[in-house]
Amino acid sequence: ELGDIVQGTPDNPVNRLALEQQLIGQAHHWQGELDRAREAYNAALEYQPDFAEAMWGLAMLEWSAGNSRNEGTSFEKVRQIGNEALELAMTRLERGVPDFKAHWIAGQILHRMAMAEEELLWRDAQGLDPEELSAQKAEAKVQYKEAEQHLRSAIGLNPSEYYARELLVVNLERQGIHRGAEALEILLEGQDLDPFNKGFATKLANRLAARGQFRQAMEVLDRFEVLPPDHRPWVWHQLEIMNNHYRYDEKFAKLIKIMANEPEAAATVRGVLTHLCWTVGQVAELGLYEEAEELYQLVAAIPYDEEGSYRRELFLEDFYPVSYTHLTLPTTGSWWCGGGGGGGGGGGGGG
């Protein structure tokens, strides 16, 4: 049963009905159903008033609600409810029993509260005197440091937990560029524990590439080549890194290899599809107009599904018009809506 899988400490067992409602609330929250999430979190607190996870869920609802209304987060509400959740988590830790969840919750709360302090600082900076500015900056630094301590304790209790490591990496990087090496080490340790975790791999590869270690970044992602084709979306991260570092030759070679050896990936994997369409315009930007036209015809002929057709249309329309003055392009067929002269308002976007 649910309570046999997720339990509290021996002297503070989790109410199973509370846990059920908290998980329901979390699922609704992930789906963007904020009112239903709030209802479930409140139900969890009715079953167990000291349930820190549910209280923190309510705080994060305030964060999400502010963002969804494009009004900015209600930081004051986040801070108020977050402090209540933090107090509940710290009460659990005061019992002296190792408690991964309590450390994890405390780390999340303190990190988010530090972010809120920074947001309030940026918002109100003009109305604060130098002493108030210094005090708020110092408060945020203290909260980031306290969050780091709790996240490290959580990882010590559950070393392979991805989300705790991910947040610790972000936490260290927000504390300053001088903590970047430590953040990288956290990801390297995570990769050693879970070599095929896409989160560890992609975040590690991105940071290695940013540090100029392009080849090492590619090697981190190459391991996914041994997985079945339905795991190929991770190729997108390689293509992104190649693109962002202007390794067009390697990017083109990889796309050609995929089209030759795994045509189903070219047609169904979103990241590969995007880069195929994007590449048409990039080849044209290099002045290789005949080659761009040949690639254009190949990409246009791939039998995509409905979403694929939309993305092909979007990217060909946005990135290929650079060659319009040099080529006469076909304008027929349901996959082409831009016409031969100017490219429509596809809107662009990344992979």
Side-chain angles (χ1 to χ4, degrees):
E1 295 184 20
L2 188 60
D4 296 325
I5 300 171
V6 183
Q7 301 178 353
T9 55
D11 61 338
N12 186 40
V14 173
N15 181 297
R16 294 185 181 188
L17 293 175
L19 176 60
E20 180 180 277
Q21 290 300 315
Q22 188 262 332
L23 294 174
I24 290 172
Q26 191 176 69
H28 284 309
H29 195 167
W30 288 344
Q31 293 295 321
E33 299 167 347
L34 304 188
D35 289 338
R36 298 180 71 180
R38 183 176 288 104
E39 181 180 340
Y41 287 141
N42 282 322
L45 290 168
E46 288 179 11
Y47 287 119
Q48 186 171 337
D50 64 348
F51 199 11
E53 288 89 336
M55 186 66 74
W56 178 234
L58 287 174
M60 291 309 298
L61 279 178
E62 292 297 335
W63 190 285
S64 299
N67 289 336
S68 68
R69 293 192 298 265
N70 292 322
E71 297 173 356
T73 303
S74 178
F75 295 118
E76 290 82 358
K77 288 185 179 180
V78 172
R79 184 160 51 186
Q80 176 187 349
I81 302 173
N83 277 327
E84 294 181 53
L86 180 62
E87 184 176 344
L88 294 175
M90 296 305 292
T91 298
R92 279 164 51 174
L93 291 172
E94 287 170 2
R95 297 187 176 96
V97 178
D99 189 337
F100 164 79
K101 289 288 287 188
H103 280 298
W104 170 222
I105 293 167
Q108 290 182 79
I109 294 170
L110 287 162
H111 179 84
R112 190 71 68 162
M113 299 275 276
M115 291 177 63
E117 287 290 344
E118 289 183 334
E119 293 285 351
L120 287 170
L121 179 63
W122 296 329
R123 188 187 70 182
D124 302 333
Q126 290 184 339
L128 299 175
D129 61 42
E131 289 187 3
E132 290 174 316
L133 283 171
S134 297
Q136 280 193 238
K137 288 180 181 179
E139 177 65 19
K141 287 182 179 179
V142 168
Q143 289 176 326
Y144 277 131
K145 191 64 181 177
E146 291 177 350
E148 177 192 344
Q149 293 169 354
H150 283 291
L151 292 170
R152 287 189 183 276
S153 294
I155 290 171
L157 293 169
N158 188 357
S160 62
E161 216 290 323
Y162 166 69
Y163 292 106
R165 281 188 181 273
E166 178 191 38
L167 186 58
L168 178 56
V169 167
V170 174
N171 176 276
L172 291 169
E173 291 176 339
R174 288 188 77 100
Q175 290 187 54
I177 193 171
H178 63 289
R179 307 297 301 275
E182 294 174 73
L184 192 65
E185 187 62 31
I186 295 296
L187 288 173
L188 287 167
E189 291 173 359
Q191 182 192 231
D192 289 341
L193 292 166
D194 191 354
F196 288 98
N197 182 295
K198 68 179 180 68
F200 288 143
T202 55
K203 286 178 172 56
L204 177 58
N206 286 333
R207 283 162 175 79
L208 287 170
R211 295 163 70 95
Q213 297 172 268
F214 176 82
R215 190 55 53 204
Q216 293 92 323
M218 291 297 100
E219 291 173 357
V220 167
L221 296 172
D222 278 341
R223 69 188 62 202
F224 291 95
E225 293 281 353
V226 303
L227 298 181
D230 59 339
H231 289 274
R232 293 307 300 275
W234 318 134
V235 172
W236 174 77
H237 294 281
Q238 283 188 319
L239 295 171
E240 281 288 288
I241 292 172
M242 290 173 182
N243 189 76
N244 293 338
H245 288 76
Y246 306 102
R247 302 288 185 116
Y248 291 152
D249 53 344
E250 294 186 50
K251 174 185 169 182
F252 297 166
K254 193 164 194 72
L255 286 170
I256 290 169
K257 179 181 177 182
I258 291 171
M259 292 178 71
N261 300 332
E262 297 179 274
E264 73 283 357
T268 61
V269 176
R270 183 173 179 175
V272 174
L273 161 64
T274 296
H275 276 281
L276 273 172
C277 296
W278 199 348
T279 298
V280 176
Q282 290 176 323
V283 172
E285 287 174 348
L286 295 174
L288 305 173
Y289 300 114
E290 293 184 4
E291 290 82 353
E293 171 67 0
E294 291 178 7
L295 182 57
Y296 175 92
Q297 299 297 341
L298 287 173
V299 173
I302 296 175
Y304 294 122
D305 58 18
E306 183 176 348
E307 180 185 0
S309 297
Y310 164 74
R311 293 183 68 78
R312 175 178 56 197
E313 178 180 291
L314 182 72
F315 275 82
L316 288 181
E317 188 171 298
D318 263 3
F319 293 106
Y320 197 46
V322 67
S323 62
Y324 279 171
T325 58
H326 301 271
L327 299 170
T328 301
L329 302 182
T331 59
T332 58
S334 61
W335 49 267
W336 180 253
C337 70

